[in-house]
Amino acid sequence: MKRKIGLLGGTFDPVHFGHLRSAVEVREQLQLDELRLIPNARPPHREVPGANADQRLAMVQLAVGESSGLRVDDCELRRTKPSYTVDTLEKLRAELGSEVVLFMVLGWDAFCGLPSWHRWEELLSLAHIVVLQRPDYDLDVPEVLKDLLAARSVDNPERLAQASCGYIICLSQTPLAISATHIRGLVGSGASPRFLLPDAVLDYIETEGLYRP
Ligand code: ATP
Protein backbone atom coordinates (compact mmCIF):
# COMPACT_ATOMS: atom_id res chain seq x y z
CA MET A 1 0.00 0.00 0.00
CA LYS A 2 1.31 3.47 -0.91
CA ARG A 3 1.67 5.95 1.93
CA LYS A 4 -0.99 8.70 1.83
CA ILE A 5 -0.37 12.12 3.32
CA GLY A 6 -2.76 15.08 3.45
CA LEU A 7 -1.55 18.68 3.69
CA LEU A 8 -3.74 21.46 5.05
CA GLY A 9 -2.01 24.81 4.79
CA GLY A 10 -3.45 27.93 6.35
CA THR A 11 -2.82 31.10 8.25
CA PHE A 12 -4.55 29.59 11.29
CA ASP A 13 -5.02 33.03 12.85
CA PRO A 14 -6.42 31.31 14.92
CA VAL A 15 -6.96 27.61 14.17
CA HIS A 16 -10.61 26.62 14.78
CA PHE A 17 -13.02 23.69 14.60
CA GLY A 18 -13.69 24.34 10.88
CA HIS A 19 -10.06 23.38 10.23
CA LEU A 20 -9.84 20.61 12.80
CA ARG A 21 -13.09 18.81 12.03
CA SER A 22 -12.28 18.96 8.30
CA ALA A 23 -8.82 17.53 9.00
CA VAL A 24 -10.26 14.57 10.92
CA GLU A 25 -12.97 13.85 8.34
CA VAL A 26 -10.64 14.13 5.33
CA ARG A 27 -8.18 11.79 7.02
CA GLU A 28 -10.93 9.23 7.61
CA GLN A 29 -12.64 9.56 4.23
CA LEU A 30 -9.38 9.23 2.28
CA GLN A 31 -7.81 6.80 4.77
CA LEU A 32 -4.71 8.93 5.07
CA ASP A 33 -1.72 7.76 7.09
CA GLU A 34 -1.38 11.30 8.36
CA LEU A 35 -2.69 14.78 7.82
CA ARG A 36 -0.28 17.66 8.32
CA LEU A 37 -1.42 21.14 9.28
CA ILE A 38 1.09 23.60 7.82
CA PRO A 39 0.95 27.17 9.15
CA ASN A 40 1.88 29.61 6.36
CA ALA A 41 4.45 32.31 6.67
CA ARG A 42 2.84 35.71 6.22
CA PRO A 43 4.28 39.10 5.30
CA PRO A 44 5.25 40.98 8.50
CA HIS A 45 2.98 43.95 7.73
CA ARG A 46 -0.08 41.69 8.08
CA GLU A 47 0.88 40.41 11.53
CA VAL A 48 -0.88 43.23 13.43
CA PRO A 49 -3.42 42.94 15.04
CA GLY A 50 -3.43 39.16 14.49
CA ALA A 51 -1.03 36.64 15.99
CA ASN A 52 2.61 36.34 14.94
CA ALA A 53 4.06 33.19 13.41
CA ASP A 54 5.19 31.69 16.73
CA GLN A 55 1.78 32.29 18.27
CA ARG A 56 -0.06 30.80 15.29
CA LEU A 57 2.19 27.74 15.44
CA ALA A 58 1.67 27.42 19.21
CA MET A 59 -2.11 27.53 18.74
CA VAL A 60 -2.05 24.81 16.07
CA GLN A 61 0.16 22.65 18.31
CA LEU A 62 -2.21 23.13 21.26
CA ALA A 63 -5.20 22.30 19.05
CA VAL A 64 -3.74 19.16 17.54
CA GLY A 65 -2.29 17.85 20.82
CA GLU A 66 -2.15 14.09 20.70
CA SER A 67 -4.87 13.67 18.03
CA SER A 68 -4.10 10.48 16.23
CA GLY A 69 -3.10 10.93 12.61
CA LEU A 70 -2.87 14.73 12.77
CA ARG A 71 0.53 16.44 12.80
CA VAL A 72 1.83 19.97 12.75
CA ASP A 73 4.52 20.76 10.18
CA ASP A 74 6.34 24.07 10.70
CA CYS A 75 8.42 23.80 7.50
CA GLU A 76 7.05 27.05 6.01
CA LEU A 77 7.76 29.01 9.19
CA ARG A 78 11.32 27.72 9.46
CA ARG A 79 12.27 29.23 6.10
CA THR A 80 13.86 32.65 6.06
CA LYS A 81 11.51 34.04 3.43
CA PRO A 82 7.80 33.36 2.83
CA SER A 83 7.46 30.43 0.48
CA TYR A 84 4.87 29.45 -2.08
CA THR A 85 2.78 26.29 -1.78
CA VAL A 86 4.40 24.92 -4.93
CA ASP A 87 7.83 25.22 -3.23
CA THR A 88 6.55 23.34 -0.18
CA LEU A 89 5.13 20.57 -2.35
CA GLU A 90 8.40 20.29 -4.30
CA LYS A 91 10.36 20.06 -1.07
CA LEU A 92 8.02 17.37 0.30
CA ARG A 93 8.18 15.40 -2.95
CA ALA A 94 11.97 15.53 -2.82
CA GLU A 95 11.93 14.29 0.78
CA LEU A 96 9.19 11.67 0.49
CA GLY A 97 9.76 10.38 -3.05
CA SER A 98 7.49 9.97 -6.04
CA GLU A 99 5.49 7.00 -4.69
CA VAL A 100 3.81 8.74 -1.76
CA VAL A 101 0.27 9.94 -2.51
CA LEU A 102 0.02 13.62 -1.56
CA PHE A 103 -3.30 15.43 -1.07
CA MET A 104 -3.38 19.21 -0.89
CA VAL A 105 -6.53 20.10 1.07
CA LEU A 106 -8.25 23.43 0.33
CA GLY A 107 -11.52 25.01 1.38
CA TRP A 108 -13.81 26.17 -1.43
CA ASP A 109 -12.73 29.82 -0.99
CA ALA A 110 -9.06 28.92 -1.29
CA PHE A 111 -9.75 26.68 -4.30
CA CYS A 112 -11.59 29.50 -6.12
CA GLY A 113 -8.52 31.72 -5.59
CA LEU A 114 -6.10 29.14 -6.97
CA PRO A 115 -5.44 30.88 -10.35
CA SER A 116 -3.73 33.72 -8.49
CA TRP A 117 -1.22 31.36 -6.83
CA HIS A 118 2.39 31.22 -7.95
CA ARG A 119 2.87 28.42 -10.57
CA TRP A 120 -0.58 27.09 -9.71
CA GLU A 121 -0.80 24.99 -12.85
CA GLU A 122 2.06 22.83 -11.57
CA LEU A 123 0.34 21.94 -8.30
CA LEU A 124 -1.46 18.92 -9.76
CA SER A 125 1.83 17.50 -10.99
CA LEU A 126 2.90 17.34 -7.34
CA ALA A 127 -0.28 16.42 -5.44
CA HIS A 128 -3.99 15.66 -5.71
CA ILE A 129 -6.30 18.50 -4.68
CA VAL A 130 -9.06 17.90 -2.12
CA VAL A 131 -11.72 20.61 -2.07
CA LEU A 132 -13.81 21.13 1.07
CA GLN A 133 -17.20 22.78 1.13
CA ARG A 134 -17.26 26.11 2.95
CA PRO A 135 -20.82 27.01 4.03
CA ASP A 136 -19.82 30.58 4.93
CA TYR A 137 -18.59 31.37 1.38
CA ASP A 138 -20.78 31.71 -1.70
CA LEU A 139 -18.20 32.04 -4.47
CA ASP A 140 -18.45 31.21 -8.16
CA VAL A 141 -15.68 29.08 -9.51
CA PRO A 142 -13.57 30.86 -12.19
CA GLU A 143 -13.94 29.55 -15.79
CA VAL A 144 -10.39 28.21 -15.86
CA LEU A 145 -11.11 26.07 -12.83
CA LYS A 146 -14.38 24.81 -14.35
CA ASP A 147 -12.28 23.39 -17.20
CA LEU A 148 -9.82 21.91 -14.76
CA LEU A 149 -12.62 20.34 -12.72
CA ALA A 150 -14.15 18.86 -15.87
CA ALA A 151 -10.82 17.34 -16.84
CA ARG A 152 -9.46 16.22 -13.49
CA SER A 153 -12.18 15.63 -10.92
CA VAL A 154 -13.11 12.17 -9.70
CA ASP A 155 -15.81 10.98 -7.30
CA ASN A 156 -14.27 7.82 -6.02
CA PRO A 157 -11.50 8.25 -3.42
CA GLU A 158 -10.05 4.89 -4.48
CA ARG A 159 -9.17 6.36 -7.90
CA LEU A 160 -6.93 8.88 -6.18
CA ALA A 161 -4.99 6.26 -4.29
CA GLN A 162 -3.89 4.72 -7.59
CA ALA A 163 -1.88 7.79 -8.65
CA SER A 164 0.41 9.89 -6.50
CA CYS A 165 -0.93 13.22 -7.87
CA GLY A 166 -3.06 14.75 -10.63
CA TYR A 167 -6.73 14.48 -9.60
CA ILE A 168 -9.26 16.68 -7.84
CA ILE A 169 -11.91 15.43 -5.44
CA CYS A 170 -14.65 17.49 -3.78
CA LEU A 171 -15.55 16.06 -0.39
CA SER A 172 -18.53 16.82 1.75
CA GLN A 173 -17.70 17.05 5.39
CA THR A 174 -19.77 18.34 8.32
CA PRO A 175 -20.45 21.94 7.23
CA LEU A 176 -19.15 24.36 9.85
CA ALA A 177 -19.57 28.05 9.10
CA ILE A 178 -16.61 29.08 11.26
CA SER A 179 -13.86 31.45 10.12
CA ALA A 180 -10.81 32.95 11.80
CA THR A 181 -12.05 36.39 10.69
CA HIS A 182 -15.26 35.89 12.66
CA ILE A 183 -13.36 34.69 15.74
CA ARG A 184 -10.97 37.68 15.63
CA GLY A 185 -14.01 39.95 15.29
CA LEU A 186 -15.72 38.40 18.31
CA VAL A 187 -12.64 38.74 20.52
CA GLY A 188 -12.06 42.27 19.24
CA SER A 189 -15.56 43.29 20.24
CA GLY A 190 -15.33 41.68 23.67
CA ALA A 191 -17.60 38.72 22.80
CA SER A 192 -16.71 35.09 23.46
CA PRO A 193 -15.70 32.71 20.65
CA ARG A 194 -15.98 29.70 23.00
CA PHE A 195 -17.06 26.45 21.30
CA LEU A 196 -15.87 27.68 17.88
CA LEU A 197 -12.33 26.57 18.70
CA PRO A 198 -10.60 24.34 21.28
CA ASP A 199 -10.55 25.62 24.87
CA ALA A 200 -6.74 25.33 24.95
CA VAL A 201 -6.53 27.75 22.00
CA LEU A 202 -9.00 30.14 23.59
CA ASP A 203 -7.03 30.09 26.87
CA TYR A 204 -3.86 30.88 24.87
CA ILE A 205 -5.59 33.79 23.09
CA GLU A 206 -6.65 35.20 26.45
CA THR A 207 -3.25 34.72 28.09
CA GLU A 208 -1.41 36.33 25.18
CA GLY A 209 -3.99 39.11 24.82
CA LEU A 210 -4.48 38.35 21.11
CA TYR A 211 -7.01 40.03 18.80
CA ARG A 212 -8.02 42.69 21.30
CA PRO A 213 -8.58 46.21 19.95
P1 ATP B 1 -9.56 33.94 7.65
O1 ATP B 1 -11.00 34.12 8.08
O2 ATP B 1 -8.56 34.70 8.47
O3 ATP B 1 -9.38 34.14 6.15
P2 ATP B 1 -9.90 31.04 7.65
O4 ATP B 1 -10.88 30.73 8.73
O5 ATP B 1 -10.38 31.00 6.23
O6 ATP B 1 -9.16 32.42 7.95
P3 ATP B 1 -7.37 29.85 6.97
O7 ATP B 1 -6.26 29.60 7.92
O8 ATP B 1 -7.21 30.91 5.98
O9 ATP B 1 -8.70 30.05 7.85
O10 ATP B 1 -7.79 28.49 6.24
C1 ATP B 1 -6.90 27.43 5.94
C2 ATP B 1 -7.64 26.46 5.02
O11 ATP B 1 -8.76 25.89 5.71
C3 ATP B 1 -8.19 27.11 3.74
O12 ATP B 1 -8.04 26.20 2.66
C4 ATP B 1 -9.66 27.33 4.09
O13 ATP B 1 -10.48 27.36 2.94
C5 ATP B 1 -9.96 26.12 4.96
N1 ATP B 1 -11.02 26.39 5.93
C6 ATP B 1 -11.05 27.37 6.85
N2 ATP B 1 -12.19 27.33 7.55
C7 ATP B 1 -12.92 26.30 7.07
C8 ATP B 1 -14.22 25.76 7.38
N3 ATP B 1 -15.00 26.30 8.33
N4 ATP B 1 -14.65 24.70 6.67
C9 ATP B 1 -13.87 24.17 5.68
N5 ATP B 1 -12.64 24.62 5.34
C10 ATP B 1 -12.16 25.68 6.02
Side-chain angles (χ1 to χ4, degrees):
M1 274 290 259
K2 289 184 182 179
R3 217 166 135 215
K4 293 190 270 184
I5 299 181
L7 311 164
L8 174 60
T11 314
F12 302 123
D13 188 21
V15 65
H16 53 68
F17 285 138
H19 302 125
L20 296 163
R21 186 65 211 158
S22 298
V24 168
E25 293 190 19
V26 166
R27 178 168 176 264
E28 288 180 346
Q29 287 182 52
L30 298 178
Q31 299 180 336
L32 305 179
D33 295 288
E34 66 181 59
L35 188 139
R36 298 186 186 183
L37 286 92
I38 308 181
N40 301 151
R42 213 173 40 162
H45 66 270
R46 284 195 52 202
E47 302 240 334
V48 179
N52 66 34
D54 288 341
Q55 291 168 325
R56 292 184 292 113
L57 175 63
M59 289 190 279
V60 180
Q61 283 167 334
L62 284 169
V64 167
E66 303 300 312
S67 311
S68 113
L70 299 189
R71 242 190 82 177
V72 186
D73 187 338
D74 65 356
C75 64
E76 294 203 355
L77 301 180
R78 276 187 277 109
R79 289 193 211 139
T80 45
K81 54 177 186 179
S83 54
Y84 297 106
T85 299
V86 69
D87 300 326
T88 303
L89 290 177
E90 279 178 341
K91 183 194 78 84
L92 285 170
R93 266 279 162 235
E95 274 171 28
L96 300 166
S98 56
E99 282 294 294
V100 172
V101 190
L102 288 180
F103 299 84
M104 183 176 82
V105 183
L106 296 171
W108 178 248
D109 56 311
F111 178 70
C112 289
L114 209 58
S116 67
W117 291 23
H118 182 59
R119 291 167 53 204
W120 72 276
E121 282 152 308
E122 294 170 51
L123 295 169
L124 276 176
S125 65
L126 293 157
H128 296 305
I129 294 179
V130 179
V131 186
L132 306 173
Q133 60 188 315
R134 191 93 205 244
D136 45 347
Y137 278 85
D138 184 19
L139 295 170
D140 285 331
V141 68
E143 282 305 318
V144 61
L145 292 182
K146 280 188 191 156
D147 295 342
L148 191 71
L149 280 168
R152 299 296 188 98
S153 59
V154 296
D155 294 330
N156 182 354
E158 283 171 22
R159 269 287 291 288
L160 283 96
Q162 288 158 16
S164 53
C165 59
Y167 292 108
I168 303 174
I169 191 162
C170 297
L171 292 184
S172 39
Q173 79 286 8
T174 307
L176 292 172
I178 304 174
S179 73
T181 303
H182 181 56
I183 291 172
R184 292 194 301 274
L186 288 173
V187 178
S189 65
S192 171
R194 191 171 292 282
F195 306 130
L196 297 176
L197 72 179
D199 284 347
V201 177
L202 181 53
D203 291 347
Y204 183 90
I205 289 171
E206 287 172 355
T207 307
E208 296 282 308
L210 294 174
Y211 312 126
R212 293 203 195 125

